[in-house]
Amino acid sequence: MRLHRLLGILSILLSRDTISAKELSDKFQVSLRTIYRDIKAIEEAGIPLYAIPGTGGGIGIVKEYKLNKTALTVDEINYLMAGVSGLKTVTDPEKLQILLTKLSPADSYFAVDSDILIDFSAWNKNTTEALKQSINLIRMAIMNSSYLKIKYISSHQKSEIKIAPYKVIFKNAAWYLFGKSTISSEHHFYKINRIEKIELINEHFIPGNAEVPTDWDDDFTNDRGEKIVLSFEQSMEYRVIDIFGKENYEKGENDSIIVTFHCSNKEWLIHFILGFGLNVKIIHPIELKEEYLEYLKKLIILNDC
């Protein structure tokens, strides 16, 4: 495959001062004409090359362009490569493969094995492809300071919003667009998988300060909203860990699991509790029990039970 050969040539050029076209031809078992076409393609990709004619000469990369890896340990290179490999799953893989090739040890065409594997893609292939397209479009808008028009599905409504995008953020197993809508003076987070449609607008904005807050306002938090105490069956421990973390619950009677948190979104909370069926009890507050019971009654009437 030509891409693998190009990356192989690039890896050799990065690890050596020069190499002759004849050596490359022999190494990859292709004609000299093919090698010269590959060299031209590498130059067209923006990598500055030079050629030294005659015996002992060859093709090389301009020294100023090469990454100095002498200050990096193998572990440090592996950490960098793990992060870059993870991004390959949701953005332009060819550009990142070139970066991986630059980081690879000498005489290695591909990334070295690492004990860390990062994969930002979803299990569903179609979901991953849609996410990749959205992220690439958002990044293009950010680089060009162009507005985006999105159709967004929130917990309250479906709306069409014009946004000045500032960052793409991965947090708590989800991808977000961080930006400011034209109808608000504040910056907001928009879950990318809730964006039904996204369009790049040929209209530019002047970028301003957009510091990402460290205290994200999620559906449940540890210090805002009403205090909630729930008791889960022991069989639900794996789900409690996924949602709250293993440091944020304690064991109760009969191996039950007690979770205390704060929540300001009552509608979300009722739906959240309902998802655990008979495996959860409301401990506090009493008013939540009453609201939950009223919801169940409406659910029974709705389904003619």
Side-chain angles (χ1 to χ4, degrees):
M1 185 180 293
R2 191 188 185 205
L3 176 59
H4 286 188
R5 190 174 65 250
L6 288 172
L7 292 171
I9 293 172
L10 182 57
S11 177
I12 294 171
L13 292 173
L14 286 166
S15 63
R16 294 177 54 170
D17 290 335
T18 59
I19 185 171
S20 70
K22 180 65 169 59
E23 284 182 84
L24 290 173
S25 174
D26 294 339
K27 194 173 189 68
F28 294 99
Q29 297 184 346
V30 293
S31 67
L32 279 172
R33 180 177 295 181
T34 298
I35 291 297
Y36 287 131
R37 280 201 300 262
D38 290 343
I39 293 299
K40 183 179 179 182
I42 291 173
E43 286 184 302
E44 290 175 348
I47 298 173
L49 303 180
Y50 67 92
I52 300 176
T55 304
I59 303 161
I61 295 180
V62 175
K63 288 184 178 180
E64 290 75 15
Y65 189 82
K66 290 186 178 183
L67 173 66
N68 182 0
K69 295 184 284 189
T70 56
L72 298 178
T73 67
V74 173
D75 280 347
E76 289 169 338
I77 291 175
N78 278 337
Y79 288 142
L80 290 171
M81 295 180 76
V84 174
S85 295
L87 288 174
K88 277 178 59 183
T89 60
V90 292
T91 188
D92 190 328
E94 291 190 10
K95 287 183 180 179
L96 290 174
Q97 183 60 57
I98 291 175
L99 176 55
L100 284 172
T101 303
K102 293 178 182 179
L103 292 172
S104 296
D107 299 324
S108 174
Y109 299 166
F110 305 102
V112 296
D113 290 335
S114 174
D115 56 347
I116 298 176
L117 174 62
I118 300 174
D119 189 342
F120 292 115
S121 64
W123 291 110
N124 184 288
K125 184 177 179 181
N126 293 334
T127 301
T128 298
E129 189 57 37
L131 174 64
K132 185 184 298 185
Q133 292 177 10
S134 295
I135 289 177
N136 287 338
L137 191 61
I138 293 169
R139 292 186 66 219
M140 186 184 302
I142 292 171
M143 287 186 286
N144 295 325
S145 299
S146 298
Y147 280 105
L148 289 170
K149 183 167 68 175
I150 67 171
K151 286 186 178 179
Y152 191 70
I153 304 172
S154 68
S155 58
H156 307 293
Q157 62 182 350
K158 183 184 292 188
S159 54
E160 191 168 281
I161 315 168
K162 182 179 174 183
I163 294 176
Y166 282 87
K167 289 187 183 295
V168 176
I169 299 169
F170 184 80
K171 179 81 171 181
N172 195 27
W175 286 95
Y176 295 84
L177 159 60
F178 180 66
K180 184 170 68 173
S181 74
T182 54
I183 58 175
S184 172
S185 59
E186 298 181 352
H187 293 81
H188 296 279
F189 297 98
Y190 303 90
K191 271 191 173 180
I192 293 180
N193 66 347
R194 292 183 185 174
I195 298 176
E196 186 178 56
K197 185 178 180 181
I198 184 168
E199 180 183 348
L200 185 65
I201 302 176
N202 188 22
E203 185 179 343
H204 300 279
F205 63 91
I206 300 175
N209 293 326
E211 186 175 347
V212 180
T214 56
D215 55 340
W216 294 37
D217 186 14
D218 208 342
D219 291 318
F220 59 86
T221 68
N222 290 324
D223 55 8
R224 292 191 296 275
E226 188 175 16
K227 181 181 177 180
I228 309 296
V229 182
L230 302 178
S231 174
F232 296 87
E233 292 290 324
Q234 196 278 331
S235 61
M236 291 292 101
E237 186 172 14
Y238 73 100
R239 289 186 62 188
V240 172
I241 290 174
D242 286 346
I243 297 167
F244 298 97
K246 60 185 177 182
E247 299 82 10
N248 296 313
Y249 67 88
E250 56 188 24
K251 290 296 182 72
E253 296 180 357
N254 301 318
D255 287 330
S256 62
I257 298 168
I258 309 299
V259 178
T260 302
F261 60 98
H262 290 71
C263 181
S264 57
N265 189 337
K266 193 61 68 68
E267 181 183 355
W268 174 89
L269 180 60
I270 289 175
H271 286 95
F272 172 76
I273 296 171
L274 189 64
F276 285 88
L278 301 176
N279 297 303
V280 64
K281 292 180 183 178
I282 299 171
I283 306 299
H284 177 83
I286 300 298
E287 296 78 19
L288 178 59
K289 290 186 178 183
E290 297 170 353
E291 292 179 49
Y292 189 64
L293 180 58
E294 287 300 315
Y295 185 87
L296 291 175
K297 289 178 180 178
K298 292 178 182 178
L299 195 61
I300 290 171
I301 294 172
L302 179 66
N303 289 279
D304 298 323
C305 297

